[in-house]
Amino acid sequence: DAPINRFGGTGTQPPAWSINVDEDTWYQFTGGSLMDIVDVDVNEGTGVEEVTLTVSHGWLYLTDLTGLTFSTGTGQFDTSMTFRGLIGDVNNALSSLWYLGFQDYNSNLSLDYLVIHTDDLGNTGAVGALTDEDTVTINVKPMKAKKKGPMALCAKAWTEERDDSPVYYTPNLGAYTRG
């Protein structure tokens, strides 16, 4: 059997997969937006699954990289990443997934989409590799022109320094950085 990508643990299929995110704000995939994969025959082979996550207008960040091997990206500040791991490690990583739209990006420009592609690498016996691919629509809600809070303070201070480099909030560090 093919692996199954699940959203919110329900197994619902698109177009039900969608989230709303505030502009310039990190979004963690938890609760109703938590993603995981299931594969009933994962133990017939090596137990290793390969997952590719891709977005077009933002960054993806995993705070738990335990047991993963990356062939694309590093798992942190990637627009695309491909990694392999045991299904438990993959699901732990997916439960630590964060999204941040590019600075000042919002859905007035266009929607963003998170594509999750899962390959069981042949953990199905004689049939060969089977895959599942799904898309999560990301609606990035625009913020008012006057920003408030720590992001605005950082942006103001750095603008005064005439530094136009982007501001990032790193979830596992709980800190803003200039990149």
Short mmCIF file of all heavy atoms in Angstrom, two decimals, residues 104-144:
data_model
loop_
_atom_site.label_atom_id
_atom_site.label_comp_id
_atom_site.label_asym_id
_atom_site.label_seq_id
_atom_site.Cartn_x
_atom_site.Cartn_y
_atom_site.Cartn_z
N ASP A 104 7.22 40.69 3.98
CA ASP A 104 6.19 41.51 3.34
C ASP A 104 5.37 40.76 2.29
O ASP A 104 4.59 41.37 1.57
CB ASP A 104 6.78 42.79 2.73
CG ASP A 104 7.41 43.68 3.78
OD1 ASP A 104 6.90 43.69 4.92
OD2 ASP A 104 8.40 44.36 3.47
N TYR A 105 5.53 39.45 2.18
CA TYR A 105 4.71 38.66 1.26
C TYR A 105 3.33 38.45 1.90
O TYR A 105 3.22 38.17 3.09
CB TYR A 105 5.35 37.29 0.97
CG TYR A 105 4.38 36.36 0.29
CD1 TYR A 105 4.12 36.48 -1.06
CD2 TYR A 105 3.68 35.40 1.01
CE1 TYR A 105 3.19 35.66 -1.69
CE2 TYR A 105 2.75 34.58 0.39
CZ TYR A 105 2.52 34.72 -0.95
OH TYR A 105 1.60 33.91 -1.56
N ASN A 106 2.28 38.57 1.09
CA ASN A 106 0.94 38.21 1.55
C ASN A 106 0.13 37.73 0.35
O ASN A 106 0.54 37.85 -0.80
CB ASN A 106 0.26 39.37 2.28
CG ASN A 106 0.03 40.56 1.40
OD1 ASN A 106 -0.72 40.49 0.43
ND2 ASN A 106 0.69 41.67 1.70
N SER A 107 -1.02 37.17 0.64
CA SER A 107 -1.84 36.54 -0.40
C SER A 107 -2.53 37.54 -1.31
O SER A 107 -3.20 37.13 -2.26
CB SER A 107 -2.85 35.59 0.24
OG SER A 107 -2.14 34.52 0.85
N ASN A 108 -2.40 38.85 -1.06
CA ASN A 108 -2.86 39.82 -2.05
C ASN A 108 -2.01 39.69 -3.31
O ASN A 108 -2.44 40.04 -4.40
CB ASN A 108 -2.79 41.25 -1.52
CG ASN A 108 -3.89 41.53 -0.51
OD1 ASN A 108 -4.88 40.81 -0.45
ND2 ASN A 108 -3.71 42.57 0.27
N LEU A 109 -0.78 39.20 -3.14
CA LEU A 109 0.12 38.98 -4.28
C LEU A 109 -0.24 37.66 -4.97
O LEU A 109 -0.41 37.61 -6.17
CB LEU A 109 1.57 38.97 -3.81
CG LEU A 109 2.01 40.23 -3.04
CD1 LEU A 109 3.37 40.03 -2.41
CD2 LEU A 109 2.02 41.42 -3.97
N SER A 110 -0.33 36.60 -4.20
CA SER A 110 -0.77 35.28 -4.67
C SER A 110 -0.77 34.35 -3.46
O SER A 110 -0.11 34.62 -2.47
CB SER A 110 0.15 34.73 -5.77
OG SER A 110 1.43 34.47 -5.25
N LEU A 111 -1.50 33.26 -3.56
CA LEU A 111 -1.49 32.26 -2.49
C LEU A 111 -0.17 31.51 -2.51
O LEU A 111 0.48 31.39 -3.55
CB LEU A 111 -2.64 31.27 -2.67
CG LEU A 111 -4.05 31.82 -2.49
CD1 LEU A 111 -5.08 30.78 -2.91
CD2 LEU A 111 -4.29 32.24 -1.06
N ASP A 112 0.22 30.99 -1.37
CA ASP A 112 1.37 30.09 -1.33
C ASP A 112 0.81 28.68 -1.15
O ASP A 112 -0.33 28.50 -0.72
CB ASP A 112 2.32 30.44 -0.17
CG ASP A 112 3.73 29.90 -0.40
OD1 ASP A 112 3.96 29.18 -1.39
OD2 ASP A 112 4.61 30.22 0.42
N TYR A 113 1.60 27.70 -1.50
CA TYR A 113 1.19 26.31 -1.40
C TYR A 113 2.33 25.50 -0.82
O TYR A 113 3.47 25.62 -1.26
CB TYR A 113 0.80 25.74 -2.78
CG TYR A 113 -0.34 26.48 -3.41
CD1 TYR A 113 -0.11 27.54 -4.29
CD2 TYR A 113 -1.65 26.13 -3.11
CE1 TYR A 113 -1.16 28.23 -4.85
CE2 TYR A 113 -2.71 26.83 -3.68
CZ TYR A 113 -2.45 27.88 -4.54
OH TYR A 113 -3.50 28.56 -5.10
N LEU A 114 1.99 24.66 0.15
CA LEU A 114 2.94 23.68 0.68
C LEU A 114 2.62 22.34 0.04
O LEU A 114 1.50 21.83 0.18
CB LEU A 114 2.83 23.58 2.20
CG LEU A 114 3.55 22.40 2.85
CD1 LEU A 114 5.05 22.47 2.62
CD2 LEU A 114 3.24 22.34 4.33
N VAL A 115 3.58 21.81 -0.69
CA VAL A 115 3.41 20.49 -1.32
C VAL A 115 4.18 19.48 -0.48
O VAL A 115 5.36 19.68 -0.17
CB VAL A 115 3.92 20.49 -2.77
CG1 VAL A 115 3.80 19.10 -3.38
CG2 VAL A 115 3.17 21.52 -3.60
N ILE A 116 3.50 18.41 -0.07
CA ILE A 116 4.14 17.31 0.65
C ILE A 116 4.06 16.07 -0.23
O ILE A 116 2.99 15.65 -0.66
CB ILE A 116 3.51 17.06 2.04
CG1 ILE A 116 4.17 15.85 2.72
CG2 ILE A 116 2.00 16.93 1.96
CD1 ILE A 116 3.79 15.64 4.16
N HIS A 117 5.24 15.55 -0.56
CA HIS A 117 5.36 14.36 -1.40
C HIS A 117 6.05 13.27 -0.57
O HIS A 117 7.16 13.49 -0.07
CB HIS A 117 6.19 14.66 -2.66
CG HIS A 117 6.40 13.47 -3.53
ND1 HIS A 117 5.53 13.15 -4.55
CD2 HIS A 117 7.36 12.53 -3.54
CE1 HIS A 117 5.96 12.05 -5.14
NE2 HIS A 117 7.07 11.65 -4.55
N THR A 118 5.40 12.13 -0.41
CA THR A 118 5.94 11.03 0.40
C THR A 118 6.15 9.81 -0.49
O THR A 118 5.28 9.44 -1.26
CB THR A 118 4.98 10.69 1.56
OG1 THR A 118 4.75 11.87 2.32
CG2 THR A 118 5.58 9.62 2.46
N ASP A 119 7.31 9.21 -0.35
CA ASP A 119 7.70 8.03 -1.13
C ASP A 119 8.07 6.93 -0.14
O ASP A 119 8.93 7.14 0.73
CB ASP A 119 8.90 8.38 -2.02
CG ASP A 119 9.31 7.29 -2.98
OD1 ASP A 119 9.09 6.09 -2.67
OD2 ASP A 119 9.86 7.62 -4.04
N ASP A 120 7.46 5.75 -0.28
CA ASP A 120 7.78 4.67 0.66
C ASP A 120 9.03 3.87 0.26
O ASP A 120 9.40 2.92 0.94
CB ASP A 120 6.59 3.75 0.89
CG ASP A 120 6.25 2.87 -0.30
OD1 ASP A 120 6.98 2.87 -1.32
OD2 ASP A 120 5.23 2.16 -0.22
N LEU A 121 9.68 4.28 -0.82
CA LEU A 121 10.96 3.68 -1.24
C LEU A 121 10.89 2.16 -1.41
O LEU A 121 11.87 1.46 -1.22
CB LEU A 121 12.08 4.05 -0.26
CG LEU A 121 12.29 5.56 -0.06
CD1 LEU A 121 13.27 5.80 1.06
CD2 LEU A 121 12.77 6.20 -1.36
N GLY A 122 9.72 1.67 -1.76
CA GLY A 122 9.59 0.23 -2.02
C GLY A 122 9.27 -0.58 -0.79
O GLY A 122 9.38 -1.81 -0.82
N ASN A 123 8.83 0.05 0.29
CA ASN A 123 8.46 -0.68 1.50
C ASN A 123 7.10 -1.33 1.34
O ASN A 123 6.26 -1.29 2.22
CB ASN A 123 8.44 0.27 2.71
CG ASN A 123 9.82 0.73 3.09
OD1 ASN A 123 10.77 -0.02 3.01
ND2 ASN A 123 9.93 1.97 3.50
N THR A 124 6.86 -1.91 0.18
CA THR A 124 5.56 -2.52 -0.10
C THR A 124 5.71 -3.94 -0.61
O THR A 124 4.75 -4.51 -1.11
CB THR A 124 4.82 -1.69 -1.17
OG1 THR A 124 5.62 -1.67 -2.36
CG2 THR A 124 4.55 -0.29 -0.70
N GLY A 125 6.89 -4.48 -0.52
CA GLY A 125 7.07 -5.82 -1.06
C GLY A 125 7.42 -5.77 -2.53
O GLY A 125 8.21 -4.94 -2.97
N ALA A 126 6.80 -6.61 -3.34
CA ALA A 126 7.15 -6.79 -4.74
C ALA A 126 6.66 -5.67 -5.66
O ALA A 126 7.14 -5.53 -6.77
CB ALA A 126 6.60 -8.13 -5.24
N VAL A 127 5.71 -4.86 -5.25
CA VAL A 127 5.11 -3.87 -6.13
C VAL A 127 6.08 -2.76 -6.49
O VAL A 127 6.04 -2.22 -7.58
CB VAL A 127 3.83 -3.27 -5.47
CG1 VAL A 127 3.24 -2.19 -6.34
CG2 VAL A 127 2.83 -4.36 -5.21
N GLY A 128 6.98 -2.39 -5.60
CA GLY A 128 7.89 -1.28 -5.83
C GLY A 128 7.46 -0.06 -5.05
O GLY A 128 6.52 -0.09 -4.26
N ALA A 129 8.15 1.04 -5.30
CA ALA A 129 7.90 2.27 -4.56
C ALA A 129 6.53 2.86 -4.89
O ALA A 129 6.13 2.90 -6.05
CB ALA A 129 8.99 3.30 -4.87
N LEU A 130 5.83 3.31 -3.85
CA LEU A 130 4.55 3.97 -4.00
C LEU A 130 4.62 5.34 -3.33
O LEU A 130 5.39 5.53 -2.38
CB LEU A 130 3.42 3.14 -3.38
CG LEU A 130 3.20 1.76 -4.02
CD1 LEU A 130 2.17 0.97 -3.22
CD2 LEU A 130 2.76 1.90 -5.47
N THR A 131 3.82 6.29 -3.82
CA THR A 131 3.92 7.66 -3.32
C THR A 131 2.54 8.25 -3.03
O THR A 131 1.52 7.72 -3.47
CB THR A 131 4.62 8.58 -4.35
OG1 THR A 131 3.82 8.63 -5.53
CG2 THR A 131 6.01 8.08 -4.68
N ASP A 132 2.55 9.34 -2.29
CA ASP A 132 1.37 10.16 -2.08
C ASP A 132 1.83 11.61 -2.14
O ASP A 132 2.91 11.95 -1.62
CB ASP A 132 0.73 9.87 -0.72
CG ASP A 132 -0.60 10.58 -0.52
OD1 ASP A 132 -1.22 11.01 -1.52
OD2 ASP A 132 -1.03 10.72 0.65
N GLU A 133 1.04 12.47 -2.78
CA GLU A 133 1.37 13.89 -2.85
C GLU A 133 0.11 14.70 -2.61
O GLU A 133 -0.93 14.43 -3.21
CB GLU A 133 1.98 14.26 -4.20
CG GLU A 133 2.39 15.72 -4.28
CD GLU A 133 3.20 16.04 -5.52
OE1 GLU A 133 4.33 15.54 -5.63
OE2 GLU A 133 2.68 16.79 -6.37
N ASP A 134 0.23 15.68 -1.72
CA ASP A 134 -0.89 16.54 -1.39
C ASP A 134 -0.41 17.98 -1.29
O ASP A 134 0.79 18.24 -1.14
CB ASP A 134 -1.53 16.11 -0.06
CG ASP A 134 -2.16 14.73 -0.18
OD1 ASP A 134 -3.17 14.61 -0.89
OD2 ASP A 134 -1.64 13.77 0.43
N THR A 135 -1.36 18.90 -1.35
CA THR A 135 -1.04 20.32 -1.31
C THR A 135 -1.88 21.01 -0.23
O THR A 135 -3.08 20.78 -0.14
CB THR A 135 -1.33 20.98 -2.67
OG1 THR A 135 -0.56 20.31 -3.67
CG2 THR A 135 -0.99 22.46 -2.66
N VAL A 136 -1.20 21.84 0.56
CA VAL A 136 -1.87 22.67 1.56
C VAL A 136 -1.85 24.11 1.03
O VAL A 136 -0.78 24.64 0.72
CB VAL A 136 -1.14 22.61 2.92
CG1 VAL A 136 -1.81 23.53 3.93
CG2 VAL A 136 -1.08 21.18 3.44
N THR A 137 -3.02 24.72 0.91
CA THR A 137 -3.10 26.12 0.50
C THR A 137 -2.78 27.00 1.70
O THR A 137 -3.33 26.80 2.78
CB THR A 137 -4.52 26.46 -0.01
OG1 THR A 137 -4.81 25.60 -1.12
CG2 THR A 137 -4.61 27.91 -0.45
N ILE A 138 -1.86 27.96 1.51
CA ILE A 138 -1.47 28.87 2.57
C ILE A 138 -1.95 30.27 2.20
O ILE A 138 -1.46 30.86 1.24
CB ILE A 138 0.05 28.86 2.79
CG1 ILE A 138 0.53 27.45 3.12
CG2 ILE A 138 0.43 29.84 3.90
CD1 ILE A 138 2.04 27.31 3.20
N ASN A 139 -2.90 30.76 2.97
CA ASN A 139 -3.42 32.11 2.78
C ASN A 139 -2.71 33.03 3.77
O ASN A 139 -2.97 32.96 4.97
CB ASN A 139 -4.93 32.15 3.00
CG ASN A 139 -5.49 33.55 2.87
OD1 ASN A 139 -4.96 34.38 2.15
ND2 ASN A 139 -6.57 33.81 3.59
N VAL A 140 -1.80 33.85 3.28
CA VAL A 140 -1.04 34.76 4.14
C VAL A 140 -1.81 36.08 4.21
O VAL A 140 -1.88 36.81 3.22
CB VAL A 140 0.40 34.97 3.63
CG1 VAL A 140 1.17 35.89 4.56
CG2 VAL A 140 1.11 33.63 3.49
N LYS A 141 -2.39 36.34 5.38
CA LYS A 141 -3.22 37.55 5.57
C LYS A 141 -2.33 38.77 5.71
O LYS A 141 -1.40 38.77 6.52
CB LYS A 141 -4.11 37.38 6.79
CG LYS A 141 -5.08 36.22 6.70
CD LYS A 141 -5.95 36.11 7.91
CE LYS A 141 -5.11 35.71 9.11
NZ LYS A 141 -5.88 35.52 10.34
N PRO A 142 -2.61 39.82 4.93
CA PRO A 142 -1.79 41.03 5.03
C PRO A 142 -1.97 41.72 6.38
O PRO A 142 -3.05 41.71 6.96
CB PRO A 142 -2.30 41.92 3.90
CG PRO A 142 -3.60 41.35 3.48
CD PRO A 142 -3.66 39.93 3.94
N MET A 143 -0.87 42.30 6.85
CA MET A 143 -0.88 43.07 8.10
C MET A 143 -1.10 44.54 7.74
O MET A 143 -0.81 44.96 6.62
CB MET A 143 0.45 42.91 8.83
CG MET A 143 0.79 41.49 9.21
SD MET A 143 -0.15 40.89 10.59
CE MET A 143 0.68 41.74 11.91
N LYS A 144 -1.55 45.31 8.70
CA LYS A 144 -1.66 46.75 8.48
C LYS A 144 -0.27 47.33 8.32
O LYS A 144 0.71 46.77 8.80
CB LYS A 144 -2.39 47.39 9.65
CG LYS A 144 -3.83 46.95 9.74
CD LYS A 144 -4.55 47.64 10.86
CE LYS A 144 -5.99 47.15 10.87
NZ LYS A 144 -6.77 47.72 11.93
#
